[in-house]
Amino acid sequence: MGRHDFIVGTLVKTGFRASLKGFDQFCSCVEMYSDDRTATIDSIYNRVADDFNCTKSSIEKNLRRLFSTSEACKVIGRLFDIDFRYAGNKEIVAMFSNYFALKRDKYECDK
């Protein structure tokens, strides 16, 4: 299982709504931030917007909608002791990137 599949599977199991536009965009943001920890959220949004043929502001809006409509955020918020209503997108992307980095052995074992 590759990293992307692991991220998607984990988010779906957690309760994120894969039917929302922001789901795939969030997965891309997490992957890009995992690859480049020095990147700014603006640079990540720009790259994701290019990949999805949309604007940077629509990426931000889609992510915020994903976070606000998902029951997963409440569950994960309790797990990580963070209130997603007051967390910015960068903090959420960083938190998930860190989580997936810690679980690297789960998706790299097939190599």
Side-chain angles (χ1 to χ4, degrees):
M1 172 186 317
R3 177 176 66 173
H4 181 77
D5 293 334
F6 180 75
I7 290 170
V8 169
T10 302
L11 294 177
V12 168
K13 286 178 190 175
T14 307
F16 278 96
R17 294 175 52 196
S19 61
L20 294 175
K21 285 183 197 178
F23 183 84
D24 290 330
Q25 295 168 350
F26 179 56
C27 292
S28 292
C29 287
V30 168
E31 287 184 275
M32 286 182 191
Y33 188 74
S34 296
D35 292 341
D36 184 5
R37 296 296 179 132
T38 62
T40 64
I41 198 70
D42 283 338
S43 68
I44 290 173
Y45 285 171
N46 284 328
R47 288 187 280 171
V48 172
D50 287 342
D51 291 346
F52 286 88
N53 294 319
C54 60
T55 64
K56 179 177 80 167
S57 62
S58 67
I59 298 293
E60 184 170 12
K61 179 190 68 152
N62 292 339
L63 292 185
R64 186 51 55 192
R65 179 172 168 81
L66 175 72
F67 301 146
S68 68
T69 61
S70 177
E71 289 297 315
C73 287
K74 293 176 187 169
V75 172
I76 294 170
R78 288 191 298 266
L79 180 66
F80 288 107
D81 195 29
I82 185 172
D83 188 344
F84 279 88
R85 292 175 297 169
Y86 303 112
N89 288 358
K90 169 136 177 131
E91 290 84 12
I92 297 170
V93 168
M95 182 187 66
F96 278 96
S97 295
N98 291 337
Y99 174 79
F100 290 120
L102 291 171
K103 300 295 183 180
R104 178 172 282 134
D105 61 324
K106 302 277 188 200
Y107 59 82
E108 287 187 344
C109 62
D110 295 336
K111 290 186 177 182

